[in-house]
Amino acid sequence: MNLKRMITVLILAFASLAVQAQKSKETISEKLDFKDNSGSSFLVVENIFGSIDVESHSGNSILLEVDKNIEADNASELAKAKDEIGIKVAYVNGNIHVYPDTPYSEFSDNTGEFRYTERNSRRKYQYVLNFRIKVPQYINLQLRTVNDGDIDIQNVLAKELIVRNINGAISMNNVSGKTDVNAINKDINITYTQNPKEESFYKSINGDINLIIK
């Protein structure tokens, strides 16, 4: 190997190490108290980049874990992203709202409305928030994500389930309740333990809709 080629190989090796150093992964964990004597309260999870996985457990709390994955152009931007990106929890009108805490997030403490207002961003990092949530079995759910992930619900016997995904699939197994589901570009797969007792809606533009009902 001549000297020029050896130097080139060394430069590429160092460049590879530098690229690897610009990634970060950490897990955010929270335990949320949930009290709903009326059976009408919702856990509302808003996401933009990443998946949402929900399964029931025997407890009365909501156990929340969020994997925060960041990739940046350089070390400075990585540090900036780690500081800027997180999650927030809000209680509005008896509902629990969980949403990304970012420079582009807007949330109304009065109405519970979440908006993501990133337009023509020049940020030099990318992030994905993957939610894993354990919930009481009879909680109502309102879930939404947009990119880079699916939504999966297991063993939730709710009065109402509202689920939205634009570029990922929706899977719901052993669920019940009035259902309003929309997956624009992927499939919807639902298995009910009990048929919905109220009018329900299922929409997909570029995916299949598969329902197993009793």
Side-chain angles (χ1 to χ4, degrees), residues 12-25:
L12 289 173
F14 282 120
S16 177
L17 289 173
V19 170
Q20 292 177 6
Q22 310 316 311
K23 295 182 180 180
S24 171
K25 180 178 180 179

Side-chain angles (χ1 to χ4, degrees), residues 54 141 152-158 161 171-177 179 189-196 212 214:
V54 179
L141 297 175
D152 184 82
I153 303 172
Q154 298 286 333
N155 306 314
V156 174
L157 307 179
L161 299 165
S171 298
M172 302 162 63
N173 187 47
N174 292 331
V175 300
S176 66
T179 308
N189 295 287
I190 304 177
T191 301
Y192 285 103
T193 59
Q194 182 180 6
N195 294 348
I212 299 178
K214 302 297 182 180

Side-chain angles (χ1 to χ4, degrees), residues 51-65:
S51 61
I52 304 175
D53 294 337
V54 179
E55 64 175 327
S56 69
H57 69 133
S58 58
N60 294 319
S61 299
I62 295 171
L63 306 178
L64 177 67
E65 288 189 344

Side-chain angles (χ1 to χ4, degrees), residues 31-35 57-63 135-137:
K31 182 178 180 180
L32 310 177
D33 291 331
F34 177 75
K35 296 179 181 179
H57 69 133
S58 58
N60 294 319
S61 299
I62 295 171
L63 306 178
V135 299
Q137 189 172 39

Side-chain angles (χ1 to χ4, degrees), residues 144-196:
R144 179 178 67 154
T145 193
V146 178
N147 295 307
D148 302 322
D150 299 331
I151 296 178
D152 184 82
I153 303 172
Q154 298 286 333
N155 306 314
V156 174
L157 307 179
K159 286 185 177 179
E160 190 167 359
L161 299 165
I162 303 171
V163 187
R164 301 282 186 270
N165 198 348
I166 292 180
N167 293 312
I170 295 174
S171 298
M172 302 162 63
N173 187 47
N174 292 331
V175 300
S176 66
K178 177 183 177 181
T179 308
D180 187 345
V181 178
N182 191 332
I184 292 178
N185 292 315
K186 295 291 183 177
D187 294 347
I188 296 171
N189 295 287
I190 304 177
T191 301
Y192 285 103
T193 59
Q194 182 180 6
N195 294 348

Side-chain angles (χ1 to χ4, degrees), residues 75-94:
S76 175
E77 289 297 325
L78 183 69
K80 179 181 178 181
K82 291 174 68 174
D83 182 61
E84 288 187 345
I85 304 301
I87 64 165
K88 278 193 173 180
V89 177
Y91 295 81
V92 181
N93 299 324

